[in-house]
Amino acid sequence: MKVRDLVFDLDGTLIDSAPSILASIQGAFDEAGITPAAPLTPALIGPPLAQTLRALLPDAQAHALPGLVEGFKRHYDTSGYQQAHVYPGVQDMLQALGGLPVRLHIATNKRIAPTRLIVEHLGWNTRFAGVYALDFYSPALAHKAAMLQRLRQALAGTGPAPLYVGDRAEDAEAAQTSGMPFLWAAWGYGGDLLAVPPASVLRTPSQLMSALQDPPRPQEHDR
């Protein structure tokens, strides 16, 4: 194997969490008595929670952000997380990867507490060697690129860089910045506009196994 560590994004890559996240966002706004400034669509999924909620707040009500964050957490961490669905083919993909000499990890913008709840709820505790989020670190990291840089340093050592699998442009850019090769999960929330080489596109989870036989190289990044 040319890949020793395989790192997955979570939302939009392994699970479709849009229904649960959007329901919890709506619940937080309803509790606060505020109307979101934009429609609640799956395009919102991906960035850190506070960033997403701030984008939905009218400027005149920006002061309500802390309360919205806490309202979302209460809803999502109690029951909302259980509504996430595993994408078709992902369970089979993870089972197949379990037979290979490769370590699996999760690196997500989702908070670490619900991420661990989801992993446990899905019975994935033994599937993943590590589960990471921005607030896994202290102090919390500012963005995914910083997290992948940490992981590359921690996991690679003198071996090959970990390979990152994600669904959004932010994922591709973070992998590029950190010097990690990237595979695009085209079934996720990124749409059809992600500019990645054809060989880096996964149309279905089952295609990952063949992609690992000739994995992509890290893209050059102007530092």
Side-chain angles (χ1 to χ4, degrees):
M1 289 290 296
K2 299 178 182 178
V3 176
R4 186 173 65 184
D5 290 280
L6 190 56
V7 186
F8 290 93
D9 175 46
L10 185 60
D11 296 333
T13 300
L14 297 177
I15 62 172
D16 180 5
S17 55
S20 57
I21 290 176
L22 297 179
S24 293
I25 290 176
Q26 186 65 63
F29 273 87
D30 289 345
E31 182 180 294
I34 299 172
T35 300
L40 302 187
T41 70
L44 296 169
I45 309 301
L49 173 62
Q51 180 181 332
T52 298
L53 294 177
R54 178 63 187 90
L56 292 168
L57 263 176
D59 289 339
Q61 295 172 301
H63 63 277
L65 180 60
L68 281 176
V69 170
E70 292 307 311
F72 175 93
K73 289 179 180 179
R74 284 193 298 272
H75 189 287
Y76 193 77
D77 295 8
T78 300
S79 59
Y81 75 91
Q82 298 178 4
Q83 300 174 33
H85 302 288
V86 180
Y87 281 111
V90 164
Q91 295 282 26
D92 291 340
M93 176 192 70
L94 293 177
Q95 184 173 353
L97 288 170
L100 299 179
V102 60
R103 296 179 297 193
L104 307 183
H105 311 266
I106 290 173
T108 176
N109 280 335
K110 188 185 292 293
R111 294 173 295 113
I112 192 64
T115 298
R116 287 171 170 162
L117 288 172
I118 289 169
V119 169
E120 182 177 5
H121 177 67
L122 296 176
W124 286 354
N125 285 326
T126 60
R127 293 285 190 197
F128 293 95
V131 177
Y132 305 92
L134 300 181
D135 65 341
F136 171 84
Y137 300 91
S138 182
L141 302 178
H143 45 68
K144 186 170 285 184
M147 178 168 50
L148 295 191
Q149 288 171 340
R150 289 279 193 99
L151 284 178
R152 189 187 189 288
Q153 295 168 359
L155 298 176
T158 58
L163 190 157
Y164 192 59
V165 183
D167 67 299
R168 301 176 69 249
E170 181 206 18
D171 299 329
E173 293 163 3
Q176 181 181 9
T177 299
S178 66
M180 292 171 61
F182 177 74
L183 288 172
W184 176 36
W187 56 83
Y189 305 136
D192 295 326
L193 302 178
L194 220 60
V196 298
S200 297
V201 178
L202 301 176
R203 293 294 173 187
T204 66
S206 63
Q207 292 180 347
L208 177 60
M209 300 302 292
S210 58
L212 291 180
Q213 302 308 311
D214 186 20
R217 296 182 179 182
Q219 296 185 33
E220 293 297 324
H221 180 72
D222 295 330
R223 299 184 185 276

